[in-house]
Amino acid sequence: MTSSTFLDTYQSAKDMLNVAKSHYDINKVHLKNKIIRSSEWVTITQSYYAAKLSFEHLNHQMRYLQVDEQENVSLISPKTGILQFPTQAANRMLGERAFDILDPNSIEVKFTVSISLGKEVSYFRVSEQCQLSIKSVDNIANKYHQTIWASPSSAQCNLTIGQSIKAVPVKKITGYSVAKSALFEFENTNYIAVKADEHLEFVPVQLIGSRNQDFIFSANIPLNNRQVLISSVSALQGMLLHLGRE
């Protein structure tokens, strides 16, 4: 239906409603005065409500149209959001949607990761200004992979629908951070020296990664609020190696 045809249909429905309403009001008085039969009144009432329903349907659609003095018609979105046209917009059929309005807060990015990684990812980093928070993880895997859905944590991401991006998965880590100078190796095992009363306790650690000047590690014993030796560690390592050779 063209805009001109729609406007003509709207005006016709409005005129029909006015005529039906006038006929209804006049015969309502006749019914009260018992001038017309009940069967005639039923027909008049049905005609009036049919015209009213037809006009209300078109009037609801008219709320989303803006017509200027030259009868140029513009569509008004029913809500604020991102306008998305169908892929084959030029081939739309009568009755199909003209466009979709997407809620900016509902936009999500799809990632496919290995199952082992999917359980550990905390968020995705696109850049220093853009991070993607995980919204959901599909329970159904595709062979060795599963799908994670994430959304921008700030407007600075400025992503576009349909865009392909590169992101770094940031894993969940339970561990400790210590200056790199605190770590030393002895007999193929990494250690740190932790203060225990008046002596040092050598604690084996498992390296997880690094961050700037620190190592990230895990240990088999709790180390919260423990003091760690970070200076003269190479001298300590030399002493242990000397003792080991003896």
Side-chain angles (χ1 to χ4, degrees), residues 25-41:
D25 291 339
I26 292 173
N27 284 279
K28 189 176 183 180
V29 176
H30 292 340
L31 178 68
K32 186 177 181 181
N33 295 328
K34 298 182 180 180
I35 298 176
I36 63 170
R37 293 178 302 213
S38 297
S39 58
E40 293 178 309
W41 172 246

Side-chain angles (χ1 to χ4, degrees), residues 4 8 36 73 86 129 131 133-134 144 166-167 225-226 228:
S4 177
D8 290 342
I36 63 170
V73 179
Q129 295 76 32
Q131 295 182 357
S133 303
I134 293 178
Y144 305 105
K166 291 183 178 180
N225 302 319
R226 300 288 298 274
V228 179

Side-chain angles (χ1 to χ4, degrees), residues 90-111:
N91 299 323
R92 286 197 304 271
M93 302 296 291
L94 180 65
E96 292 183 346
R97 283 198 305 266
F99 55 83
D100 290 318
I101 301 297
L102 305 180
D103 183 352
N105 296 323
S106 68
I107 297 176
E108 295 185 351
V109 183
K110 180 180 180 181
F111 292 96

Side-chain angles (χ1 to χ4, degrees), residues 6-163:
F6 176 81
L7 294 176
D8 290 342
T9 302
Y10 174 81
Q11 186 60 48
S12 176
K14 186 176 182 180
D15 293 341
M16 287 295 295
L17 175 61
N18 290 335
V19 171
K21 179 69 166 57
S22 177
H23 192 49
Y24 174 86
D25 291 339
I26 292 173
N27 284 279
K28 189 176 183 180
V29 176
H30 292 340
L31 178 68
K32 186 177 181 181
N33 295 328
K34 298 182 180 180
I35 298 176
I36 63 170
R37 293 178 302 213
S38 297
S39 58
E40 293 178 309
W41 172 246
V42 169
T43 301
I44 294 170
T45 301
Q46 290 176 337
S47 177
Y48 165 64
Y49 281 109
K52 184 178 181 182
L53 183 63
S54 177
F55 174 74
E56 287 178 349
H57 174 70
L58 292 170
N59 192 48
H60 175 74
Q61 298 182 45
M62 194 67 178
R63 290 167 51 195
Y64 303 112
L65 297 179
Q66 181 175 311
V67 185
D68 62 17
E69 295 178 355
Q70 286 75 39
E71 292 192 353
N72 294 317
V73 179
S74 301
L75 293 176
I76 302 173
S77 169
K79 60 182 181 180
T80 302
I82 299 173
L83 185 66
Q84 183 183 42
F85 291 99
T87 305
Q88 303 295 331
N91 299 323
R92 286 197 304 271
M93 302 296 291
L94 180 65
E96 292 183 346
R97 283 198 305 266
F99 55 83
D100 290 318
I101 301 297
L102 305 180
D103 183 352
N105 296 323
S106 68
I107 297 176
E108 295 185 351
V109 183
K110 180 180 180 181
F111 292 96
T112 301
V113 301
S114 64
I115 295 176
S116 58
L117 180 61
K119 298 177 181 178
E120 300 178 348
V121 175
S122 178
Y123 62 92
F124 291 90
R125 185 174 65 246
V126 179
S127 66
E128 291 297 327
Q129 295 76 32
C130 177
Q131 295 182 357
L132 305 178
S133 303
I134 293 178
K135 293 301 181 181
S136 63
V137 179
D138 285 1
N139 292 325
I140 300 177
N142 181 8
K143 294 183 179 179
Y144 305 105
H145 296 82
Q146 65 183 147
T147 298
I148 295 179
W149 296 92
S151 62
S153 58
S154 70
Q156 292 178 322
C157 288
N158 195 28
L159 301 180
T160 302
I161 296 175
Q163 177 184 4

Side-chain angles (χ1 to χ4, degrees), residues 184-204:
F184 64 92
E185 184 181 347
F186 180 66
E187 295 183 348
N188 298 320
T189 300
N190 293 313
Y191 288 88
I192 58 173
V194 180
K195 183 178 180 181
D197 296 328
E198 299 302 322
H199 64 278
L200 293 176
E201 177 183 354
F202 303 142
V203 179

